[in-house]
Amino acid sequence: MIIGLINDNGKVRNILRDMNFYHILSLSEVQDGENHIVELNEENLSQFKGREDFLVVRLGDKTPKNNFERLAEVVILPEGNLKEKVERVITDNLYRLQDSRPDWDHYFMNIAEQVKLRCTCMSAKKGAVIVKDKMILSSGYNGTPKGIRHCTSGGCQRCTSRHLGKMKSGVYAEPCICCHSEENAIVQAAYNGVSTQGAIMYTTFTPCTNCAKMIINAGIIEVVAKVLYPDEVGRALFKEAGVKLRVLD
């Protein structure tokens, strides 16, 4: 966003300083998301194009006026009450310049991404949240049950053996004692007496077969995932049970 001031006299500078704008800076000194007064010249003209910051630019002595007017979204002429003009333009454009909010899908998926950071399993970190009416009912990440040593402390022998190269990934010579993120989210809701009927689950990976079975029986009607996990059986169960499955772009 660029607001153009044709002239930059002391009065204009004082007005902008009172409105928490910075003094005149070179373009290299500008920080994203802050308000600045920047001098426009032929050398930096092209760098202003496409910027989304709230910038106020002044016309350099050697910059053709028509270049400035073509670049600026708003041109303020010095006639009349200059303070009122500046305040009105900034007020009118203030709300347009705020950061856009994520849609609901990405909002809840971002939360699932944060939940997975608590993972204690030595396999891929995964997170899940269960949502109903745009409110979070519960969350879960993969790891050992309550009171059991974490994988990262040697609690799961299968994880330890796999990371020591004693067994291949996907070979189940020893049972895995970890709970999956989807499983933990469902169990947490049950533990707190919260119904998941008609809810939506956001999960960082599409669920495995075992988690798919729990999701179906928990009454969850939709699963939104970020990464496609190669489990065709689980996806087939969802299809037969009428549970909607979506993978976010």
Side-chain angles (χ1 to χ4, degrees), residues 228-244:
L228 188 64
Y229 180 76
D231 190 322
E232 296 181 5
V233 175
R235 293 198 293 276
L237 290 175
F238 281 152
K239 185 176 181 179
E240 186 174 350
V243 175
K244 184 177 180 181

Side-chain angles (χ1 to χ4, degrees), residues 25-38 48 51 53-55:
L25 302 172
S26 67
L27 191 58
S28 62
E29 296 175 288
V30 170
Q31 300 294 318
D32 289 339
E34 295 182 348
N35 300 334
H36 302 280
I37 310 170
V38 185
F48 280 100
R51 290 191 70 99
D53 322 40
F54 203 153
L55 298 179

Side-chain angles (χ1 to χ4, degrees), residues 57-228:
V57 298
R58 72 180 284 264
L59 182 62
D61 294 336
K62 298 181 180 180
T63 308
K65 182 178 177 180
N66 61 335
N67 282 353
F68 179 75
E69 292 178 332
R70 187 171 64 250
L71 176 65
E73 285 192 27
V74 179
V75 174
I76 301 177
L77 299 174
E79 295 85 6
N81 190 320
L82 195 56
K83 181 176 181 180
E84 287 185 1
K85 285 186 176 183
V86 172
E87 289 179 345
R88 185 169 61 252
V89 168
I90 292 176
T91 300
D92 290 347
N93 288 277
L94 179 64
Y95 303 112
R96 291 176 48 211
L97 300 169
Q98 304 308 307
D99 293 335
S100 60
R101 298 192 299 169
D103 58 42
W104 286 110
D105 281 343
H106 289 88
Y107 170 72
F108 289 121
M109 189 60 71
N110 287 341
I111 294 174
E113 285 287 336
Q114 292 301 307
V115 169
K116 80 176 186 181
L117 298 180
R118 287 284 301 169
C119 167
T120 60
C121 182
M122 293 169 69
S123 298
K125 295 180 182 294
K126 298 171 185 175
V129 293
I130 300 176
V131 174
K132 189 173 184 179
D133 297 329
K134 296 183 174 62
M135 294 183 289
I136 295 175
L137 304 181
S138 65
S139 63
Y141 52 85
N142 49 327
T144 55
K146 288 183 178 181
I148 307 299
R149 273 193 306 159
H150 299 315
C151 285
T152 50
S153 299
C156 180
Q157 291 303 310
R158 189 170 75 86
C159 278
T160 300
S161 296
R162 182 164 61 82
H163 281 274
L164 290 175
K166 296 180 178 179
M167 61 183 295
K168 294 181 179 180
S169 179
V171 177
Y172 299 92
E174 300 170 355
C176 178
I177 65 170
C178 285
C179 304
H180 289 187
S181 59
E182 301 93 337
E183 175 185 1
N184 273 333
I186 292 170
V187 170
Q188 184 187 87
Y191 184 88
N192 291 308
V194 177
S195 173
T196 55
Q197 184 175 2
I200 299 173
M201 176 177 282
Y202 289 84
T203 178
T204 54
F205 277 67
T206 52
C208 69
T209 299
N210 285 334
C211 287
K213 292 187 291 185
M214 284 184 277
I215 288 168
I216 293 168
N217 282 347
I220 294 170
I221 60 174
E222 183 175 3
V223 174
V224 183
K226 186 174 183 179
V227 177
L228 188 64

